[in-house]
Amino acid sequence: MPFEITDELIKQIEELILKQDNETLLGLLAEEHHADIAELLEDLNLEEATYIIKLLDSEITSDILMEMDEDDREKVLKNLSSKEIAKELDELDTDDAADMIAELPEERQEKVISKIEDEEHKADIKELLKYDENTAGGLMAKELVKVYENWNVLKCVREMRAQAEFVTRVHSIYVVDENEELKGRLSLKDLLVTSTKTHISEIYIPKVDSANVHDKAEDVARVMQKYDLEAIPVVDDKNHLLGRITIDDIVDVIKDEADKDYQMAAGLSQDVEADDTLWQHTRARLPWLFLGLLGGIGAASIMGGFEDLISKHAVLFFFTPLIAATAGNVGVQSSAIIVQGLANNDLKGSIGERLFKEFSLSLINGLALSLFLLLFTWIWKGNMLTSIAISISLFSVIVVAGIIGTFIPLFLNKRDIDPALATGPFITTSNDIFGILIYFWIAKMVLGI
Amino acid sequence: MPFEITDELIKQIEELILKQDNETLLGLLAEEHHADIAELLEDLNLEEATYIIKLLDSEITSDILMEMDEDDREKVLKNLSSKEIAKELDELDTDDAADMIAELPEERQEKVISKIEDEEHKADIKELLKYDENTAGGLMAKELVKVYENWNVLKCVREMRAQAEFVTRVHSIYVVDENEELKGRLSLKDLLVTSTKTHISEIYIPKVDSANVHDKAEDVARVMQKYDLEAIPVVDDKNHLLGRITIDDIVDVIKDEADKDYQMAAGLSQDVEADDTLWQHTRARLPWLFLGLLGGIGAASIMGGFEDLISKHAVLFFFTPLIAATAGNVGVQSSAIIVQGLANNDLKGSIGERLFKEFSLSLINGLALSLFLLLFTWIWKGNMLTSIAISISLFSVIVVAGIIGTFIPLFLNKRDIDPALATGPFITTSNDIFGILIYFWIAKMVLGI
């Protein structure tokens, strides 16, 4: 089903560009979907990609550009004149146009905007640029189909035909009063199954979910997902209809949120992709590795404090990686459950109940693992007391790690800090240190030295 | 914007149930969205939830049930008779109805199906039950609006009015020939802006993306996301139109995929939620903890083999948690980047190129971290040779861990195993062992003992 980008195709296109055989190129790409062409361009070098963008009509290149990776798009836009960019913007829906402008260097933004021909489109884009990109205002488009409650269906259909020309997908028809205040909605289906003589005020559905322009993007995503909405109107504080958000933008928000949490859990501090530069990767990875290193130094210092144990019970030291790893694993498991529960908004009960559940779970897991370890070390080393010391330590470490792993994300969330921070290197590192401290402390007590 | 479930509301509803004051209850819930009522029911006990489900009309309770958590739904369904369940199914779209039936115990499925009144609906549901839930067939609904290419617009609109009654959202109108073969599509918008006298064959768009009924759900999700589709028709191998998939189901697939990867990275072996039972949590967590424990035992055995070092260079043992943690962190970072790149389908270049990039990155990170550690240990312990040994080891471990972390997910993916397996405890554990082995081996070489 999907279009296949083969090495042959790329080679063929590169040759056609070299020969400047525009006719064949146009023929080759004419039938392809903009998303496929965008994928193709990412396999070409910058000059070749720019060549294709300049060659094709702006009706399709605007969509191609929007589909490209942000970094690649930025590079291509650098090679286009302000006028050329403005032409692309003219073809885009206002939300995409605003996103594209926002990525340009500031000194260029003004210049590009001034070159947009359609005055209404220009004003809409300028309005959208005012909103934070992580709010409903930053997601919404100005394109929508709206009718006034005092119209009749005949006038409505006539006006809608004109409006619909500019709206990719109609979804809902919003009904407003003469002050542009949102009153309700009509579905296209309703219109289709209603006689043309009916009056709008008689048929519209007065109940309509809406988002405030300042609502957080995540919250809008949650509401649209919960209520299975495919579009949601956006209003200001006085309920004036400003724009609407469609489900495709929300799919991106959901995907980005999930990717972000995943990356945090993996110890990557910013939005980094496989194809980013070495420098971007280093900036995303090194800080967390450094944090882990500091944790390791902390662990080394702690062990240094128990140096007197090493001559008598060297075997204790052999188990530090096991203790540290288990503490880290338990901590990550507990915190991931909480982070995901918070993200999906399905966490029930108080913090106390959560901690109690995690505590019970740690007892089960701790008992199972430490009994196994007890048997193993006893058989291996034949020293019951040392084996008991190690096992009791493991058990305690599991319980403490589980509680820390549950508590930290809940605590961060209460303080309005992204709880996903609590997963990954942060929790592993702190649990390593706690784990080793508890381990040697208990071992020393049990072994009586 | 969202409906607020307060403790007072819950208390009020519990009291009304106790008093069997159905009238007030119905009045209280009449205006609420099914998703909100579903959330409310999850805060009630099973008897109370069942009471509400039996009280409300099946038109809304079917939607409420679909919105509930799978475990909770299962419990409520146990309290309903086959006839009551069949009534709920009559109200649901075929895809949701099939999903609900599939969750019932097998001996109950037949009984419930036989009680469905609408024969066509029954046949459709039975057909859907044949498909694997992770395929296009498992996602699709039979509800869609279809017209024949030899109709004219007048007949089309008339027939559509009838069909549209049963379809929640129209999205696209599919055009088929007399053999039910998919020919193309019409958008509602097109129909709206076209004169009623036009012939369908003149106005339909012959290009239409479709999914094969056996396509994997993930692949369908990728295509719909890439091409920004809000609905996709599903066909059999002979291109006969069987059903269609809408974007709201795809949003769930995307969310589930992301959640699954996240959970794997966190060492949770199956779909587990914060509110599942202790037993479910134990099954999801214990196997990975046990794997980690085995890794720790492996590490202990390795260290046991270097026992002769401990009397002379005890400090080496203090740094094992640091080495193990860094190896784990680097491994998780590298593999997460690959897993995410594979999931988003944006990984370019050969395996060799990937490994080379990761190698370069490891050199940078390794150099930075090991130089820092060199300085620290030198100042702390004053022994240059030991410090050098530890730092060289750290450097080597980082390079090896990065390469392993990159290679394993790519390798698993080539073998058609979910690469997300390679993140989390699996990679941390193997890197712990490799790391410690490399560490002591290099230290022994450098220190010449």
Side-chain angles (χ1 to χ4, degrees):
Chain A
M1 175 175 45
F3 161 83
E4 188 104 43
I5 296 175
T6 58
D7 286 347
E8 290 81 63
L9 179 68
I10 293 173
K11 223 174 137 185
Q12 187 190 358
I13 286 178
E14 286 180 327
E15 274 164 17
L16 289 171
I17 293 174
L18 207 67
K19 284 195 275 178
Q20 309 212 348
D21 183 351
N22 295 345
E23 209 171 319
T24 318
L25 266 174
L26 283 171
L28 201 63
L29 299 174
E31 286 297 298
E32 299 313 331
H33 191 281
H34 59 82
D36 291 320
I37 301 181
E39 225 175 271
L40 178 75
L41 293 196
E42 289 179 358
D43 284 328
L44 299 177
N45 67 37
L46 179 60
E47 282 69 44
E48 291 163 349
T50 313
Y51 187 90
I52 302 245
I53 292 287
K54 292 200 180 202
L55 176 67
L56 296 174
D57 192 85
S58 60
E59 201 178 319
I60 183 162
T61 54
S62 54
D63 288 332
I64 296 173
L65 283 167
M66 277 322 288
E67 202 66 37
M68 287 173 78
D69 190 80
E70 199 176 315
D71 300 338
D72 294 317
R73 174 168 55 239
E74 214 181 293
K75 284 182 212 144
V76 173
L77 289 183
K78 264 196 198 144
N79 281 350
L80 299 185
S81 70
S82 301
K83 179 129 200 199
E84 281 169 324
I85 298 178
K87 246 176 120 178
E88 305 286 354
L89 297 175
D90 258 326
E91 296 292 339
L92 286 173
D93 280 353
T94 47
D95 56 340
D96 290 336
D99 288 348
M100 199 189 271
I101 290 183
E103 287 167 23
L104 295 175
E106 247 174 80
E107 63 279 13
R108 247 197 129 179
Q109 295 188 3
E110 272 303 315
K111 229 188 265 176
V112 169
I113 293 174
S114 70
K115 297 257 161 67
I116 297 174
E117 283 180 9
D118 181 331
E119 286 301 324
E120 205 186 320
H121 200 56
K122 190 195 286 187
D124 284 347
I125 294 172
K126 271 178 144 170
E127 182 198 330
L128 291 182
L129 281 171
K130 291 188 311 200
Y131 303 111
D132 182 292
E133 62 167 333
N134 296 317
T135 64
L139 284 178
M140 74 180 181
K142 298 295 290 179
E143 286 83 1
L144 50 78
V145 176
K146 97 184 154 190
V147 299
Y148 290 85
E149 58 172 347
N150 56 3
W151 286 357
N152 60 33
V153 171
L154 194 69
K155 169 145 183 155
C156 179
V157 171
R158 208 180 298 137
E159 292 280 340
M160 273 177 56
R161 284 192 187 173
Q163 292 182 31
E165 288 287 335
F166 300 100
V167 180
T168 321
R169 281 160 188 148
V170 174
H171 287 296
S172 265
I173 301 150
Y174 299 116
V175 181
V176 294
D177 66 13
E178 65 271 31
N179 300 319
E180 302 291 327
E181 216 178 288
L182 181 66
K183 305 299 286 184
R185 66 185 169 87
L186 274 174
S187 75
L188 261 185
K189 199 181 98 182
D190 296 332
L191 215 67
L192 199 77
V193 296
T194 314
S195 131
T196 48
K197 280 158 200 156
T198 327
H199 208 270
I200 296 294
S201 57
E202 289 168 40
I203 54 168
Y204 81 79
I205 307 151
K207 208 173 168 178
V208 55
D209 290 298
S210 64
N212 182 286
V213 70
H214 300 300
D215 283 343
K216 274 201 274 182
E218 289 167 56
D219 293 334
V220 178
R222 207 170 285 150
V223 169
M224 289 184 73
Q225 226 184 326
K226 178 173 171 190
Y227 297 134
D228 269 345
L229 306 177
E230 302 197 331
I232 195 168
V234 179
V235 296
D236 64 12
D237 294 335
K238 286 175 176 157
N239 205 32
H240 295 135
L241 180 62
L242 295 181
R244 71 155 185 179
I245 297 171
T246 48
I247 187 77
D248 52 320
D249 297 317
I250 291 302
V251 170
D252 295 339
V253 171
I254 293 170
K255 195 82 186 53
D256 286 352
E257 274 297 307
D259 281 358
K260 213 183 69 193
D261 282 358
Y262 182 75
Q263 294 201 314
M264 282 225 216
L268 298 161
S269 60
Q270 46 180 321
D271 192 24
V272 64
E273 279 164 37
D275 286 301
D276 286 345
T277 62
L278 279 181
W279 170 234
Q280 285 169 313
H281 273 270
T282 305
R283 274 195 310 171
R285 299 190 193 188
L286 197 52
W288 290 112
L289 293 179
F290 191 71
L291 176 72
L293 192 75
L294 291 183
I297 287 176
S301 319
I302 291 171
M303 287 166 78
F306 292 93
E307 203 164 350
D308 50 323
L309 270 177
I310 213 164
S311 51
K312 288 189 198 154
H313 300 281
V315 68
L316 286 182
F317 286 80
F318 301 163
F319 284 95
T320 42
L322 183 150
I323 297 287
T326 308
N329 288 343
V330 169
V332 168
Q333 285 183 340
S334 326
S335 59
I337 283 285
I338 300 292
V339 168
Q340 198 157 60
L342 288 169
N344 295 342
N345 212 10
D346 61 7
L347 221 53
K348 304 256 154 52
S350 67
I351 291 196
E353 282 164 24
R354 280 281 135 223
L355 289 176
F356 180 73
K357 182 167 184 181
E358 193 59 38
F359 179 70
S360 321
L361 197 55
S362 307
L363 290 184
I364 301 173
N365 288 337
L367 218 56
L369 294 173
S370 52
L371 280 178
F372 178 85
L373 189 66
L374 179 71
L375 275 176
F376 175 83
T377 45
W378 188 35
I379 292 167
W380 188 35
K381 291 286 167 186
N383 185 334
M384 194 52 174
L385 198 62
T386 319
S387 305
I388 289 178
I390 294 172
S391 298
I392 292 182
S393 301
L394 179 69
F395 179 77
S396 319
V397 164
I398 289 174
V399 173
V400 173
I403 290 176
I404 293 179
T406 307
F407 181 73
I408 292 183
L410 287 172
F411 173 79
L412 291 180
N413 190 55
K414 276 252 174 216
R415 307 228 140 198
D416 258 334
I417 303 170
D418 187 345
L421 250 184
T423 52
F426 185 75
I427 206 93
T428 346
T429 304
S430 52
N431 277 355
D432 274 13
I433 296 183
F434 273 111
I436 288 172
L437 193 61
I438 293 168
Y439 173 58
F440 280 102
W441 186 66
I442 290 184
K444 207 166 168 167
M445 278 210 315
V446 173
L447 296 171
I449 36 164
Chain B
M1 172 177 43
F3 161 85
E4 189 103 45
I5 296 174
T6 58
D7 287 347
E8 289 82 62
L9 179 67
I10 293 173
K11 221 172 139 189
Q12 187 189 0
I13 286 177
E14 286 181 326
E15 276 166 16
L16 290 171
I17 294 175
L18 208 67
K19 285 193 274 176
Q20 306 212 352
D21 183 351
N22 294 346
E23 208 172 321
T24 318
L25 266 176
L26 283 171
L28 200 63
L29 298 174
E31 286 297 299
E32 300 313 330
H33 191 281
H34 59 82
D36 291 321
I37 301 180
E39 225 175 271
L40 178 74
L41 293 196
E42 288 179 358
D43 284 329
L44 299 176
N45 69 36
L46 180 59
E47 282 70 43
E48 292 163 348
T50 313
Y51 187 89
I52 301 250
I53 291 287
K54 292 200 182 203
L55 176 68
L56 296 174
D57 192 84
S58 62
E59 200 178 319
I60 182 160
T61 54
S62 55
D63 288 332
I64 295 173
L65 283 167
M66 278 319 290
E67 202 66 37
M68 288 173 80
D69 191 77
E70 200 176 314
D71 300 339
D72 294 318
R73 175 167 57 237
E74 215 180 291
K75 284 182 212 143
V76 173
L77 289 182
K78 263 195 199 145
N79 281 351
L80 300 185
S81 70
S82 300
K83 179 131 197 197
E84 281 168 324
I85 297 178
K87 244 176 121 179
E88 305 286 352
L89 295 175
D90 259 327
E91 296 291 339
L92 287 173
D93 280 353
T94 47
D95 55 339
D96 290 336
D99 288 347
M100 199 190 270
I101 291 183
E103 286 167 24
L104 296 174
E106 248 174 79
E107 63 279 12
R108 245 197 131 179
Q109 295 189 4
E110 273 302 313
K111 228 188 265 175
V112 169
I113 293 174
S114 70
K115 297 257 162 65
I116 297 174
E117 283 180 12
D118 181 332
E119 286 300 325
E120 204 187 320
H121 199 59
K122 190 196 283 186
D124 283 346
I125 294 171
K126 271 178 145 172
E127 182 197 330
L128 291 182
L129 281 171
K130 292 188 311 198
Y131 303 110
D132 182 291
E133 62 167 332
N134 296 316
T135 64
L139 284 178
M140 74 180 182
K142 298 296 291 179
E143 286 83 2
L144 49 78
V145 176
K146 101 185 150 190
V147 298
Y148 290 85
E149 59 172 345
N150 56 4
W151 286 358
N152 59 35
V153 171
L154 195 71
K155 168 148 181 153
C156 180
V157 171
R158 208 180 296 138
E159 293 280 340
M160 275 176 54
R161 284 190 186 173
Q163 292 182 28
E165 288 287 335
F166 302 100
V167 180
T168 321
R169 280 160 189 150
V170 174
H171 287 296
S172 265
I173 301 149
Y174 300 115
V175 181
V176 294
D177 65 14
E178 64 272 31
N179 300 318
E180 302 291 329
E181 217 178 285
L182 180 66
K183 303 301 286 183
R185 66 185 169 89
L186 274 174
S187 74
L188 261 184
K189 199 181 98 184
D190 295 333
L191 214 67
L192 199 78
V193 296
T194 313
S195 130
T196 48
K197 281 158 200 155
T198 327
H199 208 269
I200 296 295
S201 57
E202 289 168 41
I203 54 167
Y204 81 78
I205 306 152
K207 206 171 168 180
V208 56
D209 290 298
S210 64
N212 183 286
V213 70
H214 301 300
D215 283 343
K216 276 201 274 179
E218 290 166 57
D219 293 335
V220 178
R222 207 171 286 149
V223 169
M224 288 185 72
Q225 227 185 323
K226 179 173 172 189
Y227 296 135
D228 268 346
L229 306 177
E230 302 197 330
I232 196 169
V234 179
V235 295
D236 66 11
D237 295 334
K238 285 175 178 156
N239 205 33
H240 295 134
L241 180 62
L242 294 181
R244 71 156 185 179
I245 298 171
T246 48
I247 187 78
D248 52 319
D249 297 316
I250 290 302
V251 169
D252 296 339
V253 171
I254 293 171
K255 194 83 187 57
D256 287 351
E257 274 296 308
D259 280 359
K260 214 184 67 194
D261 282 358
Y262 182 75
Q263 294 201 315
M264 282 225 217
L268 299 160
S269 62
Q270 47 180 320
D271 193 24
V272 63
E273 278 164 38
D275 287 301
D276 286 345
T277 63
L278 279 182
W279 170 235
Q280 285 169 312
H281 273 270
T282 305
R283 276 195 309 168
R285 300 190 193 188
L286 196 52
W288 290 112
L289 292 179
F290 191 71
L291 176 72
L293 191 75
L294 291 183
I297 288 175
S301 319
I302 291 172
M303 287 166 79
F306 291 93
E307 203 165 351
D308 50 324
L309 270 177
I310 215 165
S311 50
K312 285 188 199 156
H313 301 283
V315 67
L316 285 184
F317 286 81
F318 301 163
F319 284 94
T320 42
L322 183 149
I323 297 286
T326 308
N329 288 343
V330 169
V332 169
Q333 285 184 339
S334 325
S335 59
I337 283 284
I338 300 292
V339 168
Q340 198 157 61
L342 288 169
N344 295 343
N345 214 8
D346 61 7
L347 220 53
K348 305 257 153 54
S350 67
I351 292 196
E353 283 165 23
R354 278 281 134 225
L355 290 176
F356 180 74
K357 182 167 184 180
E358 194 58 39
F359 178 71
S360 321
L361 198 55
S362 306
L363 290 185
I364 300 174
N365 288 337
L367 219 57
L369 294 173
S370 52
L371 280 178
F372 178 85
L373 189 65
L374 180 70
L375 274 176
F376 174 83
T377 45
W378 188 34
I379 292 167
W380 188 35
K381 290 286 167 185
N383 184 334
M384 194 52 174
L385 200 61
T386 320
S387 306
I388 288 178
I390 295 173
S391 300
I392 291 182
S393 301
L394 179 69
F395 179 77
S396 319
V397 164
I398 289 173
V399 172
V400 173
I403 290 175
I404 293 178
T406 308
F407 181 74
I408 292 184
L410 288 171
F411 173 79
L412 290 180
N413 191 54
K414 277 253 174 216
R415 306 226 140 200
D416 259 334
I417 303 171
D418 187 344
L421 251 184
T423 52
F426 185 73
I427 205 94
T428 346
T429 305
S430 53
N431 276 355
D432 274 12
I433 296 183
F434 273 110
I436 288 172
L437 193 60
I438 294 170
Y439 173 59
F440 280 102
W441 185 66
I442 289 184
K444 207 169 170 166
M445 278 211 312
V446 173
L447 297 171
I449 35 164

